[in-house]
Amino acid sequence: MTITTLASCLVLVPAHAEQSTNAGAISVAQVTRMLDQAPTNRTAQQVLTAYLSGVGEAAGVVVDLGGAPCQRPLTLTTEEVRRAIATAPAGVQGNQIAATPLVVRDMLVRAGCRRKSAAQLFGGFSLTGSGASRLIP
């Protein structure tokens, strides 16, 4: 499922629909809305489940590609997601903060994942421009 597909699903959640970020990423406001509505709204529950599944998959890929051995298993609950998105910078509207990097980073930190150096990973060769390097502590 692509971010565009998931974002289009978010529009299906009734009531006031929160906006994606200007870059098209799923926003903190959207995830907060899904978390709030999921207990009583089947569509919101399904969209939230799809989103969290994608985030979990993304975190696993970051760990695999980033060569980040973890001390504990990756976990993701709704309460952990709430805590992660609560770390969003103050003073910025929730619809302008991408939720996924906050959630993935929180998962990696809680699991005790640590990035290996480029030399360890690639025998002295380094890869530049990797998004994984910004997420792994």
Side-chain angles (χ1 to χ4, degrees), residues 76-98:
L76 187 60
T77 67
T78 56
E79 287 309 310
E80 291 165 345
V81 171
R82 281 190 191 279
R83 282 193 299 273
I85 63 176
T87 66
V92 181
Q93 290 183 336
N95 65 353
Q96 292 308 311
I97 302 168

